[in-house]
Amino acid sequence: MKKILITGATGQIGSELTIALRENYGSANVVAVGHKKPASSELTQFGPYCQLDVRDAIALHQLVEENNCDTIFHLAALLSAVAEEKPQQAWDINMNGLINVLEISRLHHCAVFFPSSIAAFGPGAPAMDTPQDTVQRPTSLYGITKVSGELLCDYYYHRFAVDTRGLRYPGLVSSKALPGGGTTDYAVDIFYAAIKTRHYDCFLHADTQLDMMYMPDAINAAIKLMTADSQRLRHRNAFNVTAMSFTPQQLAAEIQKHISEFTISYSIDPVRQAIADSWPKHMNDSAARAEWDWQAEYNLAAMVEDMLAKIAAKCGNK
Ligand code: AKB
């Protein structure tokens, strides 16, 4: 990776991955792309930033050509809950954005990173120890775009030799950018509530178990996969990766070890609950471990400790 373009750079993964890539590959060599003006100057101050819509194939093409990019991290997408509100728009952004990136990569010989998700599985897949290769019949629109994206990336690899690689991320917990419109967002919101009001009203049931990962591990996984020896990759796209698996009740209990007065209540959002109930509780990520030595650093306790310190500092509550 010498010259990198990253779409969705203002999003939850993008805002941290851009910084990490700039640290590793040089600020001038990472072109950040977002559909809006970034909330903080961090993305624009230290390297190139371009505002464009990933559905604009001509503008995207021009940018890749002008910058002579050899790698694209394509993160721009609508997440699960918002995709249920706007299914047509989600299909348009998630699928047309991806095919634009793949076409440009075919023409310019770029490698492509595509983040899939636990959402690529549906109720027919085993919820525990979900295998790398199993039935994928997702019931959410977001999940349908993710499984279609996995297949499209496989197609571009087999048909046109585009070096596509991807991960099935679990819910991601991060201290920087807020997630927007996801089903696993509760696992971030809860920290702000714990710091600010000592109470959180959760939109998922107390015992809804889902796979999760702390953002430093998610960033590390993306870079590690993109720099892995291609000879070892049997799966390439859509590797299951996980770090921990917990319920809202278990997360709240871990937070209470640090903030004893913290309380949690539950007001269920039926749309997000139905989505969560259709997803794996715990994926098997042995293929990622075997093919590119994937290993998470953060477990629940380490993640909670770090998140509380970072969110407290962010909220001026040091
Ligand atoms: C979402 O909740 O939509 C995402 C995901 C699990 O892909 N965080």
Side-chain angles (χ1 to χ4, degrees), residues 110-116 132-133 149-151 153-159 161-168 221-222 224-226 228-241 287-288 291-292:
C110 299
V112 176
F113 174 80
F114 170 70
S116 186
Q132 173 67 42
D133 302 305
E150 292 179 2
L151 293 171
C153 288
D154 275 345
Y155 178 78
Y156 268 75
Y157 171 66
H158 290 297
R159 177 80 172 81
V162 176
D163 183 2
T164 53
R165 304 181 186 197
L167 302 170
R168 289 187 189 125
K224 204 168 164 64
L225 174 61
M226 290 308 281
D229 175 1
S230 65
Q231 301 295 315
R232 286 181 64 198
L233 303 183
R234 224 171 44 75
H235 287 89
R236 288 202 148 258
N237 293 298
F239 280 97
N240 287 359
V241 281
E291 293 177 41
W292 49 277

mmCIF file of all heavy atoms in Angstrom, residues 110-116 132-133 149-151 153-159 161-168 221-222 224-226 228-241 287-288 291-292:
data_model
loop_
_atom_site.group_PDB
_atom_site.id
_atom_site.type_symbol
_atom_site.label_atom_id
_atom_site.label_comp_id
_atom_site.label_asym_id
_atom_site.label_seq_id
_atom_site.Cartn_x
_atom_site.Cartn_y
_atom_site.Cartn_z
ATOM 1 N N CYS A 110 -6.213 -1.378 -8.367
ATOM 2 C CA CYS A 110 -6.162 -1.092 -6.918
ATOM 3 C C CYS A 110 -6.587 -2.335 -6.138
ATOM 4 O O CYS A 110 -7.440 -3.103 -6.590
ATOM 5 C CB CYS A 110 -7.142 0.012 -6.539
ATOM 6 S SG CYS A 110 -6.844 1.579 -7.340
ATOM 7 N N ALA A 111 -6.021 -2.505 -4.950
ATOM 8 C CA ALA A 111 -6.539 -3.494 -3.998
ATOM 9 C C ALA A 111 -7.723 -2.855 -3.284
ATOM 10 O O ALA A 111 -7.773 -1.628 -3.142
ATOM 11 C CB ALA A 111 -5.455 -3.858 -2.994
ATOM 12 N N VAL A 112 -8.684 -3.683 -2.839
ATOM 13 C CA VAL A 112 -9.899 -3.140 -2.202
ATOM 14 C C VAL A 112 -10.154 -3.823 -0.865
ATOM 15 O O VAL A 112 -10.127 -5.056 -0.774
ATOM 16 C CB VAL A 112 -11.145 -3.370 -3.104
ATOM 17 C CG1 VAL A 112 -12.420 -2.891 -2.417
ATOM 18 C CG2 VAL A 112 -10.978 -2.678 -4.452
ATOM 19 N N PHE A 113 -10.427 -2.997 0.155
ATOM 20 C CA PHE A 113 -10.914 -3.524 1.435
ATOM 21 C C PHE A 113 -12.402 -3.220 1.543
ATOM 22 O O PHE A 113 -12.820 -2.069 1.392
ATOM 23 C CB PHE A 113 -10.179 -2.876 2.621
ATOM 24 C CG PHE A 113 -10.750 -3.287 3.955
ATOM 25 C CD1 PHE A 113 -10.407 -4.502 4.523
ATOM 26 C CD2 PHE A 113 -11.649 -2.463 4.627
ATOM 27 C CE1 PHE A 113 -10.943 -4.896 5.741
ATOM 28 C CE2 PHE A 113 -12.191 -2.851 5.856
ATOM 29 C CZ PHE A 113 -11.835 -4.065 6.414
ATOM 30 N N PHE A 114 -13.201 -4.264 1.822
ATOM 31 C CA PHE A 114 -14.654 -4.086 1.979
ATOM 32 C C PHE A 114 -15.087 -4.654 3.331
ATOM 33 O O PHE A 114 -14.905 -5.838 3.591
ATOM 34 C CB PHE A 114 -15.392 -4.813 0.845
ATOM 35 C CG PHE A 114 -16.883 -4.887 1.055
ATOM 36 C CD1 PHE A 114 -17.670 -3.749 0.958
ATOM 37 C CD2 PHE A 114 -17.497 -6.100 1.356
ATOM 38 C CE1 PHE A 114 -19.056 -3.813 1.162
ATOM 39 C CE2 PHE A 114 -18.876 -6.168 1.559
ATOM 40 C CZ PHE A 114 -19.645 -5.023 1.451
ATOM 41 N N PRO A 115 -15.671 -3.806 4.201
ATOM 42 C CA PRO A 115 -16.127 -4.324 5.488
ATOM 43 C C PRO A 115 -17.509 -4.957 5.375
ATOM 44 O O PRO A 115 -18.484 -4.268 5.086
ATOM 45 C CB PRO A 115 -16.189 -3.069 6.365
ATOM 46 C CG PRO A 115 -16.437 -1.945 5.402
ATOM 47 C CD PRO A 115 -15.925 -2.363 4.049
ATOM 48 N N SER A 116 -17.581 -6.265 5.595
ATOM 49 C CA SER A 116 -18.878 -6.894 5.749
ATOM 50 C C SER A 116 -19.211 -6.881 7.242
ATOM 51 O O SER A 116 -18.584 -6.119 7.998
ATOM 52 C CB SER A 116 -18.877 -8.306 5.162
ATOM 53 O OG SER A 116 -20.196 -8.831 5.209
ATOM 54 N N GLN A 132 -17.383 -19.962 9.428
ATOM 55 C CA GLN A 132 -16.955 -19.077 8.342
ATOM 56 C C GLN A 132 -17.824 -19.311 7.094
ATOM 57 O O GLN A 132 -18.269 -18.375 6.450
ATOM 58 C CB GLN A 132 -15.473 -19.354 8.039
ATOM 59 C CG GLN A 132 -14.904 -18.634 6.833
ATOM 60 C CD GLN A 132 -14.835 -17.127 7.026
ATOM 61 O OE1 GLN A 132 -14.465 -16.647 8.079
ATOM 62 N NE2 GLN A 132 -15.201 -16.384 5.990
ATOM 63 N N ASP A 133 -18.026 -20.574 6.777
ATOM 64 C CA ASP A 133 -18.813 -20.906 5.583
ATOM 65 C C ASP A 133 -20.085 -21.599 6.026
ATOM 66 O O ASP A 133 -20.049 -22.741 6.499
ATOM 67 C CB ASP A 133 -18.005 -21.831 4.661
ATOM 68 C CG ASP A 133 -16.682 -21.186 4.257
ATOM 69 O OD1 ASP A 133 -16.718 -20.065 3.733
ATOM 70 O OD2 ASP A 133 -15.616 -21.803 4.497
ATOM 71 N N GLY A 149 -22.394 -7.677 -1.288
ATOM 72 C CA GLY A 149 -21.068 -7.064 -1.407
ATOM 73 C C GLY A 149 -19.961 -8.106 -1.328
ATOM 74 O O GLY A 149 -18.991 -8.061 -2.086
ATOM 75 N N GLU A 150 -20.128 -9.060 -0.406
ATOM 76 C CA GLU A 150 -19.129 -10.141 -0.294
ATOM 77 C C GLU A 150 -19.025 -10.888 -1.620
ATOM 78 O O GLU A 150 -17.925 -11.176 -2.112
ATOM 79 C CB GLU A 150 -19.550 -11.151 0.791
ATOM 80 C CG GLU A 150 -19.521 -10.612 2.199
ATOM 81 C CD GLU A 150 -19.974 -11.657 3.228
ATOM 82 O OE1 GLU A 150 -20.267 -12.812 2.838
ATOM 83 O OE2 GLU A 150 -20.037 -11.324 4.428
ATOM 84 N N LEU A 151 -20.187 -11.195 -2.196
ATOM 85 C CA LEU A 151 -20.202 -11.969 -3.451
ATOM 86 C C LEU A 151 -19.611 -11.164 -4.603
ATOM 87 O O LEU A 151 -18.883 -11.689 -5.442
ATOM 88 C CB LEU A 151 -21.645 -12.391 -3.778
ATOM 89 C CG LEU A 151 -22.261 -13.399 -2.801
ATOM 90 C CD1 LEU A 151 -23.752 -13.581 -3.084
ATOM 91 C CD2 LEU A 151 -21.546 -14.743 -2.890
ATOM 92 N N CYS A 153 -17.388 -8.783 -4.373
ATOM 93 C CA CYS A 153 -15.924 -8.721 -4.188
ATOM 94 C C CYS A 153 -15.283 -10.031 -4.636
ATOM 95 O O CYS A 153 -14.243 -10.017 -5.304
ATOM 96 C CB CYS A 153 -15.585 -8.436 -2.730
ATOM 97 S SG CYS A 153 -15.944 -6.751 -2.254
ATOM 98 N N ASP A 154 -15.897 -11.168 -4.298
ATOM 99 C CA ASP A 154 -15.387 -12.467 -4.766
ATOM 100 C C ASP A 154 -15.387 -12.500 -6.295
ATOM 101 O O ASP A 154 -14.443 -12.969 -6.920
ATOM 102 C CB ASP A 154 -16.298 -13.610 -4.265
ATOM 103 C CG ASP A 154 -15.942 -14.066 -2.862
ATOM 104 O OD1 ASP A 154 -14.848 -13.719 -2.370
ATOM 105 O OD2 ASP A 154 -16.774 -14.760 -2.246
ATOM 106 N N TYR A 155 -16.472 -11.999 -6.874
ATOM 107 C CA TYR A 155 -16.594 -12.010 -8.336
ATOM 108 C C TYR A 155 -15.465 -11.200 -8.986
ATOM 109 O O TYR A 155 -14.823 -11.654 -9.928
ATOM 110 C CB TYR A 155 -17.967 -11.437 -8.727
ATOM 111 C CG TYR A 155 -18.155 -11.355 -10.228
ATOM 112 C CD1 TYR A 155 -18.457 -12.493 -10.974
ATOM 113 C CD2 TYR A 155 -18.007 -10.146 -10.897
ATOM 114 C CE1 TYR A 155 -18.617 -12.420 -12.357
ATOM 115 C CE2 TYR A 155 -18.165 -10.061 -12.277
ATOM 116 C CZ TYR A 155 -18.462 -11.211 -13.001
ATOM 117 O OH TYR A 155 -18.609 -11.126 -14.359
ATOM 118 N N TYR A 156 -15.221 -10.007 -8.464
ATOM 119 C CA TYR A 156 -14.154 -9.162 -9.053
ATOM 120 C C TYR A 156 -12.776 -9.789 -8.867
ATOM 121 O O TYR A 156 -11.885 -9.587 -9.690
ATOM 122 C CB TYR A 156 -14.199 -7.733 -8.486
ATOM 123 C CG TYR A 156 -15.049 -6.836 -9.360
ATOM 124 C CD1 TYR A 156 -16.438 -6.926 -9.342
ATOM 125 C CD2 TYR A 156 -14.464 -5.941 -10.248
ATOM 126 C CE1 TYR A 156 -17.218 -6.135 -10.174
ATOM 127 C CE2 TYR A 156 -15.241 -5.145 -11.085
ATOM 128 C CZ TYR A 156 -16.618 -5.243 -11.043
ATOM 129 O OH TYR A 156 -17.380 -4.482 -11.877
ATOM 130 N N TYR A 157 -12.607 -10.554 -7.806
ATOM 131 C CA TYR A 157 -11.317 -11.244 -7.626
ATOM 132 C C TYR A 157 -11.175 -12.380 -8.649
ATOM 133 O O TYR A 157 -10.186 -12.463 -9.371
ATOM 134 C CB TYR A 157 -11.195 -11.789 -6.193
ATOM 135 C CG TYR A 157 -9.991 -12.691 -6.050
ATOM 136 C CD1 TYR A 157 -8.698 -12.180 -6.182
ATOM 137 C CD2 TYR A 157 -10.141 -14.062 -5.819
ATOM 138 C CE1 TYR A 157 -7.581 -13.014 -6.092
ATOM 139 C CE2 TYR A 157 -9.030 -14.888 -5.726
ATOM 140 C CZ TYR A 157 -7.757 -14.358 -5.865
ATOM 141 O OH TYR A 157 -6.661 -15.180 -5.784
ATOM 142 N N HIS A 158 -12.201 -13.232 -8.727
ATOM 143 C CA HIS A 158 -12.096 -14.401 -9.611
ATOM 144 C C HIS A 158 -12.155 -14.013 -11.086
ATOM 145 O O HIS A 158 -11.439 -14.558 -11.910
ATOM 146 C CB HIS A 158 -13.216 -15.409 -9.290
ATOM 147 C CG HIS A 158 -13.013 -16.065 -7.962
ATOM 148 N ND1 HIS A 158 -11.919 -16.867 -7.693
ATOM 149 C CD2 HIS A 158 -13.736 -16.022 -6.817
ATOM 150 C CE1 HIS A 158 -11.989 -17.295 -6.450
ATOM 151 N NE2 HIS A 158 -13.075 -16.791 -5.895
ATOM 152 N N ARG A 159 -12.987 -13.037 -11.417
ATOM 153 C CA ARG A 159 -13.208 -12.692 -12.826
ATOM 154 C C ARG A 159 -12.150 -11.736 -13.372
ATOM 155 O O ARG A 159 -11.717 -11.847 -14.499
ATOM 156 C CB ARG A 159 -14.616 -12.083 -12.931
ATOM 157 C CG ARG A 159 -15.034 -11.602 -14.277
ATOM 158 C CD ARG A 159 -15.495 -12.769 -15.159
ATOM 159 N NE ARG A 159 -16.079 -12.290 -16.399
ATOM 160 C CZ ARG A 159 -15.371 -11.913 -17.467
ATOM 161 N NH1 ARG A 159 -14.066 -11.948 -17.420
ATOM 162 N NH2 ARG A 159 -15.966 -11.494 -18.563
ATOM 163 N N ALA A 161 -9.307 -10.509 -11.302
ATOM 164 C CA ALA A 161 -8.080 -10.524 -10.484
ATOM 165 C C ALA A 161 -7.886 -9.243 -9.664
ATOM 166 O O ALA A 161 -6.749 -8.858 -9.366
ATOM 167 C CB ALA A 161 -6.850 -10.795 -11.351
ATOM 168 N N VAL A 162 -8.989 -8.576 -9.305
ATOM 169 C CA VAL A 162 -8.870 -7.429 -8.395
ATOM 170 C C VAL A 162 -8.592 -8.002 -6.991
ATOM 171 O O VAL A 162 -9.283 -8.926 -6.546
ATOM 172 C CB VAL A 162 -10.160 -6.565 -8.374
ATOM 173 C CG1 VAL A 162 -10.042 -5.440 -7.348
ATOM 174 C CG2 VAL A 162 -10.447 -6.006 -9.757
ATOM 175 N N ASP A 163 -7.595 -7.456 -6.309
ATOM 176 C CA ASP A 163 -7.192 -7.974 -5.002
ATOM 177 C C ASP A 163 -8.172 -7.473 -3.929
ATOM 178 O O ASP A 163 -7.899 -6.528 -3.201
ATOM 179 C CB ASP A 163 -5.752 -7.505 -4.710
ATOM 180 C CG ASP A 163 -5.222 -8.068 -3.406
ATOM 181 O OD1 ASP A 163 -5.931 -8.851 -2.741
ATOM 182 O OD2 ASP A 163 -4.083 -7.703 -3.039
ATOM 183 N N THR A 164 -9.328 -8.126 -3.862
ATOM 184 C CA THR A 164 -10.350 -7.726 -2.883
ATOM 185 C C THR A 164 -10.170 -8.542 -1.599
ATOM 186 O O THR A 164 -9.897 -9.742 -1.658
ATOM 187 C CB THR A 164 -11.765 -7.980 -3.435
ATOM 188 O OG1 THR A 164 -11.852 -9.342 -3.857
ATOM 189 C CG2 THR A 164 -12.087 -7.072 -4.606
ATOM 190 N N ARG A 165 -10.339 -7.866 -0.475
ATOM 191 C CA ARG A 165 -10.239 -8.547 0.830
ATOM 192 C C ARG A 165 -11.274 -7.929 1.783
ATOM 193 O O ARG A 165 -11.579 -6.737 1.653
ATOM 194 C CB ARG A 165 -8.836 -8.371 1.439
ATOM 195 C CG ARG A 165 -7.738 -8.847 0.507
ATOM 196 C CD ARG A 165 -6.367 -8.698 1.118
ATOM 197 N NE ARG A 165 -5.347 -9.026 0.118
ATOM 198 C CZ ARG A 165 -4.085 -9.304 0.378
ATOM 199 N NH1 ARG A 165 -3.659 -9.280 1.627
ATOM 200 N NH2 ARG A 165 -3.242 -9.590 -0.574
ATOM 201 N N GLY A 166 -11.766 -8.706 2.725
ATOM 202 C CA GLY A 166 -12.776 -8.133 3.623
ATOM 203 C C GLY A 166 -12.959 -8.905 4.909
ATOM 204 O O GLY A 166 -12.518 -10.046 5.052
ATOM 205 N N LEU A 167 -13.636 -8.230 5.837
ATOM 206 C CA LEU A 167 -13.895 -8.790 7.167
ATOM 207 C C LEU A 167 -15.379 -8.717 7.473
ATOM 208 O O LEU A 167 -16.033 -7.754 7.078
ATOM 209 C CB LEU A 167 -13.193 -7.936 8.231
ATOM 210 C CG LEU A 167 -11.690 -7.754 8.122
ATOM 211 C CD1 LEU A 167 -11.232 -6.693 9.120
ATOM 212 C CD2 LEU A 167 -10.999 -9.079 8.386
ATOM 213 N N ARG A 168 -15.863 -9.699 8.216
ATOM 214 C CA ARG A 168 -17.218 -9.578 8.772
ATOM 215 C C ARG A 168 -17.057 -9.034 10.180
ATOM 216 O O ARG A 168 -16.750 -9.785 11.117
ATOM 217 C CB ARG A 168 -17.911 -10.936 8.831
ATOM 218 C CG ARG A 168 -18.295 -11.449 7.467
ATOM 219 C CD ARG A 168 -19.136 -12.716 7.568
ATOM 220 N NE ARG A 168 -19.301 -13.286 6.252
ATOM 221 C CZ ARG A 168 -18.980 -14.538 5.914
ATOM 222 N NH1 ARG A 168 -18.499 -15.370 6.824
ATOM 223 N NH2 ARG A 168 -19.168 -14.958 4.691
ATOM 224 N N ALA A 221 -7.130 -5.119 12.511
ATOM 225 C CA ALA A 221 -7.560 -6.234 11.655
ATOM 226 C C ALA A 221 -7.580 -5.820 10.181
ATOM 227 O O ALA A 221 -7.115 -6.566 9.314
ATOM 228 C CB ALA A 221 -8.945 -6.713 12.079
ATOM 229 N N ALA A 222 -8.085 -4.627 9.899
ATOM 230 C CA ALA A 222 -8.179 -4.171 8.499
ATOM 231 C C ALA A 222 -6.784 -4.043 7.887
ATOM 232 O O ALA A 222 -6.536 -4.513 6.767
ATOM 233 C CB ALA A 222 -8.923 -2.838 8.434
ATOM 234 N N LYS A 224 -3.961 -5.408 8.968
ATOM 235 C CA LYS A 224 -3.290 -6.724 8.959
ATOM 236 C C LYS A 224 -3.768 -7.569 7.775
ATOM 237 O O LYS A 224 -2.960 -8.216 7.098
ATOM 238 C CB LYS A 224 -3.603 -7.429 10.285
ATOM 239 C CG LYS A 224 -2.579 -8.468 10.676
ATOM 240 C CD LYS A 224 -2.817 -8.892 12.126
ATOM 241 C CE LYS A 224 -2.107 -10.172 12.471
ATOM 242 N NZ LYS A 224 -0.692 -10.190 12.437
ATOM 243 N N LEU A 225 -5.064 -7.546 7.511
ATOM 244 C CA LEU A 225 -5.575 -8.326 6.383
ATOM 245 C C LEU A 225 -5.048 -7.775 5.056
ATOM 246 O O LEU A 225 -4.668 -8.538 4.170
ATOM 247 C CB LEU A 225 -7.115 -8.326 6.385
ATOM 248 C CG LEU A 225 -7.760 -9.002 5.169
ATOM 249 C CD1 LEU A 225 -7.374 -10.491 5.070
ATOM 250 C CD2 LEU A 225 -9.279 -8.872 5.203
ATOM 251 N N MET A 226 -5.009 -6.448 4.924
ATOM 252 C CA MET A 226 -4.583 -5.852 3.649
ATOM 253 C C MET A 226 -3.087 -6.026 3.392
ATOM 254 O O MET A 226 -2.638 -5.897 2.259
ATOM 255 C CB MET A 226 -4.962 -4.363 3.603
ATOM 256 C CG MET A 226 -6.463 -4.124 3.491
ATOM 257 S SD MET A 226 -7.246 -5.036 2.151
ATOM 258 C CE MET A 226 -6.809 -4.039 0.735
ATOM 259 N N ALA A 228 -1.528 -8.850 4.489
ATOM 260 C CA ALA A 228 -1.253 -10.295 4.652
ATOM 261 C C ALA A 228 -0.741 -10.897 3.345
ATOM 262 O O ALA A 228 -1.035 -10.390 2.252
ATOM 263 C CB ALA A 228 -2.535 -11.011 5.084
ATOM 264 N N ASP A 229 -0.003 -11.982 3.483
ATOM 265 C CA ASP A 229 0.516 -12.708 2.325
ATOM 266 C C ASP A 229 -0.667 -13.324 1.554
ATOM 267 O O ASP A 229 -1.377 -14.179 2.081
ATOM 268 C CB ASP A 229 1.454 -13.813 2.872
ATOM 269 C CG ASP A 229 1.977 -14.718 1.779
ATOM 270 O OD1 ASP A 229 1.651 -14.492 0.597
ATOM 271 O OD2 ASP A 229 2.714 -15.668 2.127
ATOM 272 N N SER A 230 -0.849 -12.885 0.310
ATOM 273 C CA SER A 230 -2.034 -13.326 -0.448
ATOM 274 C C SER A 230 -2.020 -14.842 -0.692
ATOM 275 O O SER A 230 -3.079 -15.452 -0.842
ATOM 276 C CB SER A 230 -2.138 -12.570 -1.768
ATOM 277 O OG SER A 230 -1.053 -12.908 -2.584
ATOM 278 N N GLN A 231 -0.850 -15.450 -0.691
ATOM 279 C CA GLN A 231 -0.761 -16.914 -0.913
ATOM 280 C C GLN A 231 -1.462 -17.698 0.200
ATOM 281 O O GLN A 231 -1.897 -18.816 -0.006
ATOM 282 C CB GLN A 231 0.725 -17.358 -0.919
ATOM 283 C CG GLN A 231 1.584 -16.693 -1.970
ATOM 284 C CD GLN A 231 1.138 -17.086 -3.374
ATOM 285 O OE1 GLN A 231 0.887 -18.252 -3.642
ATOM 286 N NE2 GLN A 231 1.009 -16.104 -4.254
ATOM 287 N N ARG A 232 -1.531 -17.083 1.399
ATOM 288 C CA ARG A 232 -2.136 -17.794 2.530
ATOM 289 C C ARG A 232 -3.655 -17.632 2.586
ATOM 290 O O ARG A 232 -4.328 -18.308 3.340
ATOM 291 C CB ARG A 232 -1.541 -17.274 3.851
ATOM 292 C CG ARG A 232 -0.119 -17.745 4.104
ATOM 293 C CD ARG A 232 0.374 -17.210 5.441
ATOM 294 N NE ARG A 232 -0.378 -17.713 6.589
ATOM 295 C CZ ARG A 232 -0.369 -17.151 7.794
ATOM 296 N NH1 ARG A 232 0.350 -16.072 8.007
ATOM 297 N NH2 ARG A 232 -1.079 -17.661 8.778
ATOM 298 N N LEU A 233 -4.195 -16.681 1.795
ATOM 299 C CA LEU A 233 -5.626 -16.373 1.915
ATOM 300 C C LEU A 233 -6.473 -17.331 1.079
ATOM 301 O O LEU A 233 -6.429 -17.297 -0.144
ATOM 302 C CB LEU A 233 -5.912 -14.927 1.475
ATOM 303 C CG LEU A 233 -5.156 -13.829 2.215
ATOM 304 C CD1 LEU A 233 -5.594 -12.464 1.712
ATOM 305 C CD2 LEU A 233 -5.384 -13.935 3.733
ATOM 306 N N ARG A 234 -7.246 -18.140 1.769
ATOM 307 C CA ARG A 234 -8.145 -19.046 1.071
ATOM 308 C C ARG A 234 -9.533 -18.408 0.931
ATOM 309 O O ARG A 234 -10.232 -18.612 -0.023
ATOM 310 C CB ARG A 234 -8.252 -20.356 1.877
ATOM 311 C CG ARG A 234 -8.181 -21.601 1.028
ATOM 312 C CD ARG A 234 -8.081 -22.857 1.859
ATOM 313 N NE ARG A 234 -8.960 -22.933 3.015
ATOM 314 C CZ ARG A 234 -10.270 -23.176 2.963
ATOM 315 N NH1 ARG A 234 -10.877 -23.360 1.817
ATOM 316 N NH2 ARG A 234 -10.975 -23.247 4.085
ATOM 317 N N HIS A 235 -9.891 -17.575 1.901
ATOM 318 C CA HIS A 235 -11.225 -16.968 1.882
ATOM 319 C C HIS A 235 -11.250 -15.569 1.275
ATOM 320 O O HIS A 235 -12.218 -15.196 0.651
ATOM 321 C CB HIS A 235 -11.821 -16.942 3.289
ATOM 322 C CG HIS A 235 -12.246 -18.297 3.748
ATOM 323 N ND1 HIS A 235 -11.396 -19.147 4.408
ATOM 324 C CD2 HIS A 235 -13.413 -18.952 3.603
ATOM 325 C CE1 HIS A 235 -12.027 -20.282 4.666
ATOM 326 N NE2 HIS A 235 -13.257 -20.187 4.188
ATOM 327 N N ARG A 236 -10.217 -14.792 1.520
ATOM 328 C CA ARG A 236 -10.084 -13.425 0.983
ATOM 329 C C ARG A 236 -11.144 -12.466 1.497
ATOM 330 O O ARG A 236 -10.867 -11.591 2.283
ATOM 331 C CB ARG A 236 -10.177 -13.403 -0.564
ATOM 332 C CG ARG A 236 -8.988 -13.968 -1.212
ATOM 333 C CD ARG A 236 -8.843 -13.486 -2.631
ATOM 334 N NE ARG A 236 -7.429 -13.434 -2.861
ATOM 335 C CZ ARG A 236 -6.738 -12.338 -2.835
ATOM 336 N NH1 ARG A 236 -7.335 -11.175 -2.644
ATOM 337 N NH2 ARG A 236 -5.447 -12.379 -3.006
ATOM 338 N N ASN A 237 -12.375 -12.616 1.000
ATOM 339 C CA ASN A 237 -13.423 -11.670 1.393
ATOM 340 C C ASN A 237 -14.215 -12.245 2.552
ATOM 341 O O ASN A 237 -14.442 -13.437 2.619
ATOM 342 C CB ASN A 237 -14.343 -11.411 0.216
ATOM 343 C CG ASN A 237 -13.590 -10.669 -0.853
ATOM 344 O OD1 ASN A 237 -13.129 -9.565 -0.625
ATOM 345 N ND2 ASN A 237 -13.412 -11.294 -1.994
ATOM 346 N N ALA A 238 -14.624 -11.338 3.446
ATOM 347 C CA ALA A 238 -15.595 -11.735 4.453
ATOM 348 C C ALA A 238 -15.081 -12.733 5.480
ATOM 349 O O ALA A 238 -15.722 -13.746 5.740
ATOM 350 C CB ALA A 238 -16.834 -12.280 3.755
ATOM 351 N N PHE A 239 -13.936 -12.460 6.069
ATOM 352 C CA PHE A 239 -13.456 -13.290 7.179
ATOM 353 C C PHE A 239 -14.266 -12.958 8.432
ATOM 354 O O PHE A 239 -14.379 -11.775 8.804
ATOM 355 C CB PHE A 239 -11.988 -12.977 7.498
ATOM 356 C CG PHE A 239 -11.002 -13.636 6.579
ATOM 357 C CD1 PHE A 239 -10.470 -12.946 5.504
ATOM 358 C CD2 PHE A 239 -10.592 -14.950 6.798
ATOM 359 C CE1 PHE A 239 -9.543 -13.545 4.664
ATOM 360 C CE2 PHE A 239 -9.668 -15.555 5.960
ATOM 361 C CZ PHE A 239 -9.146 -14.857 4.883
ATOM 362 N N ASN A 240 -14.793 -13.967 9.101
ATOM 363 C CA ASN A 240 -15.367 -13.747 10.432
ATOM 364 C C ASN A 240 -14.257 -13.246 11.354
ATOM 365 O O ASN A 240 -13.172 -13.846 11.378
ATOM 366 C CB ASN A 240 -15.857 -15.065 11.051
ATOM 367 C CG ASN A 240 -17.131 -15.606 10.423
ATOM 368 O OD1 ASN A 240 -17.688 -14.995 9.517
ATOM 369 N ND2 ASN A 240 -17.588 -16.749 10.912
ATOM 370 N N VAL A 241 -14.506 -12.165 12.095
ATOM 371 C CA VAL A 241 -13.568 -11.742 13.141
ATOM 372 C C VAL A 241 -14.366 -11.306 14.374
ATOM 373 O O VAL A 241 -15.383 -10.633 14.242
ATOM 374 C CB VAL A 241 -12.630 -10.561 12.720
ATOM 375 C CG1 VAL A 241 -11.479 -11.041 11.871
ATOM 376 C CG2 VAL A 241 -13.387 -9.429 12.040
ATOM 377 N N ALA A 287 -10.788 -19.178 10.729
ATOM 378 C CA ALA A 287 -10.186 -19.007 9.393
ATOM 379 C C ALA A 287 -9.267 -17.786 9.404
ATOM 380 O O ALA A 287 -8.153 -17.824 8.876
ATOM 381 C CB ALA A 287 -11.273 -18.865 8.330
ATOM 382 N N ALA A 288 -9.719 -16.689 10.021
ATOM 383 C CA ALA A 288 -8.890 -15.476 10.103
ATOM 384 C C ALA A 288 -7.624 -15.746 10.917
ATOM 385 O O ALA A 288 -6.537 -15.283 10.579
ATOM 386 C CB ALA A 288 -9.684 -14.331 10.729
ATOM 387 N N GLU A 291 -5.381 -18.038 8.591
ATOM 388 C CA GLU A 291 -4.904 -17.550 7.289
ATOM 389 C C GLU A 291 -4.104 -16.246 7.364
ATOM 390 O O GLU A 291 -3.334 -15.938 6.467
ATOM 391 C CB GLU A 291 -6.101 -17.402 6.334
ATOM 392 C CG GLU A 291 -6.712 -18.761 5.979
ATOM 393 C CD GLU A 291 -7.945 -18.674 5.107
ATOM 394 O OE1 GLU A 291 -7.959 -17.856 4.173
ATOM 395 O OE2 GLU A 291 -8.909 -19.430 5.376
ATOM 396 N N TRP A 292 -4.316 -15.446 8.410
ATOM 397 C CA TRP A 292 -3.504 -14.215 8.527
ATOM 398 C C TRP A 292 -3.243 -13.821 9.988
ATOM 399 O O TRP A 292 -2.975 -12.664 10.279
ATOM 400 C CB TRP A 292 -4.111 -13.056 7.701
ATOM 401 C CG TRP A 292 -5.591 -12.829 7.929
ATOM 402 C CD1 TRP A 292 -6.615 -13.515 7.328
ATOM 403 C CD2 TRP A 292 -6.205 -11.864 8.806
ATOM 404 N NE1 TRP A 292 -7.831 -13.037 7.793
ATOM 405 C CE2 TRP A 292 -7.609 -12.023 8.678
ATOM 406 C CE3 TRP A 292 -5.705 -10.887 9.669
ATOM 407 C CZ2 TRP A 292 -8.511 -11.231 9.393
ATOM 408 C CZ3 TRP A 292 -6.609 -10.090 10.385
ATOM 409 C CH2 TRP A 292 -7.988 -10.272 10.235
#
